[in-house]
Amino acid sequence: MTNPATDGGFAVVEMFTSQGCNSCLPAEELLSELERDARVRGQNVFALGFHVDYWDDLGWPDQFADPAYTARQEAYARAFGSEGLYTPQMVVNGTVEFVGSDRRRAAGAIMSAMSSTATAPLTLSMADGGGHRVLLDYRVEHPPAGAVVNVAIVERGLDSEIARGENAGRTLRQDNVVRAYASVGLDAERGQVQLVTPPDLDPRNAAVVGYVQENGNRAIVGATAIELSTA
């Protein structure tokens, strides 16, 4: 299945979070709500929960954390001129950041993002799959020089029982959790990217989100998504 390029406005909402962070819970609820509402309204809002690993030594090792996601947040911190990292942090279309539980800021940033159109529309299609890998074809119209294509598999409806740390005793239900991620340099309009999926991934509750990101200001200039079950 091929997913056509997104027409009109879009919002890529990246959340940097951790299962060990108590203040992340309302932010994750907000992220789930934003994604559900967008589905109902047919809006192009793409939600991604990147679980960072710097909370892992503070009482609870997050099973979804990856140092690559921490490195991604660090790259944003450099771009924004921030002095340090924090959770929960929400970043919309690569250029606006704020505390992830701030509903007002989230609504305003998404509304602003939806008012502009993609300058580098992206199309994704499944090239091959099997075992624990997903191979995708991509096509980008008017690719910016030095840009990258980011591709993530996100999974909804994940339940985790937390035994220690700030959320000890809770069962967390989390959506849009990034389970696999890759970023490739955009050298041509067409190309392929491969993702290695975890063995416990449920494709019925998973989607592939792709987005084109500029190198300098890290602006996201094109995005799309495809349900893994239909791909």
Side-chain angles (χ1 to χ4, degrees):
M1 177 179 177
T2 298
N3 198 57
T6 296
D7 293 325
F10 68 91
V12 174
V13 183
E14 297 175 282
M15 173 87 83
F16 295 95
T17 183
S18 172
Q19 290 182 336
C21 163
N22 182 263
S23 61
C24 289
L25 302 188
E28 295 208 15
E29 290 174 3
L30 175 57
L31 189 70
S32 297
E33 181 182 309
L34 292 171
E35 195 266 346
R36 285 195 305 267
D37 287 351
R39 279 174 174 264
V40 171
R41 298 172 182 172
Q43 293 178 323
N44 294 311
V45 177
F46 309 111
L48 305 102
F50 286 96
H51 287 231
V52 297
D53 67 345
Y54 51 84
W55 277 87
D56 286 4
D57 295 330
L58 301 176
W60 179 252
D62 189 330
Q63 62 181 311
F64 304 128
D66 193 304
Y69 306 158
T70 302
R72 179 159 184 78
Q73 190 183 24
E74 289 172 340
Y76 272 129
R78 290 191 296 270
F80 292 130
S82 306
E83 293 184 359
L85 306 182
Y86 70 92
T87 56
Q89 182 186 34
M90 192 175 281
V91 180
V92 176
N93 278 6
T95 57
V96 180
E97 70 88 21
F98 47 89
V99 175
S101 54
D102 191 330
R103 289 177 172 270
R104 183 186 62 81
R105 290 289 303 277
I110 291 172
M111 183 179 298
S112 177
M114 298 294 289
S115 68
S116 59
T117 58
T119 59
L122 170 67
T123 302
L124 280 180
S125 61
M126 179 74 79
D128 192 16
H132 299 306
R133 74 183 189 96
V134 173
L135 185 63
L136 297 152
D137 289 325
Y138 64 81
R139 179 175 181 271
V140 181
E141 299 177 36
H142 317 298
V148 297
V149 175
N150 303 310
V151 183
I153 293 179
V154 297
E155 188 172 4
R156 302 178 294 271
L158 293 170
D159 293 322
S160 302
E161 295 183 2
I162 310 302
R164 298 182 303 279
E166 290 188 2
N167 292 318
R170 293 177 179 265
T171 298
L172 304 186
R173 183 173 181 82
Q174 296 170 308
D175 296 308
N176 314 301
V177 177
V178 176
R179 304 299 313 278
Y181 177 80
S183 183
V184 296
L186 191 53
D187 299 323
E189 288 189 358
R190 298 176 183 269
Q192 286 188 329
V193 58
Q194 179 172 285
L195 294 168
V196 178
T197 61
D200 62 343
L201 179 79
D202 184 351
R204 297 169 299 179
N205 295 321
V208 182
V209 179
Y211 48 113
V212 180
Q213 190 162 29
E214 293 183 341
N215 183 31
N217 62 4
R218 303 192 66 80
I220 294 171
V221 292
T224 192
I226 183 170
E227 289 294 313
L228 199 56
S229 58
T230 58

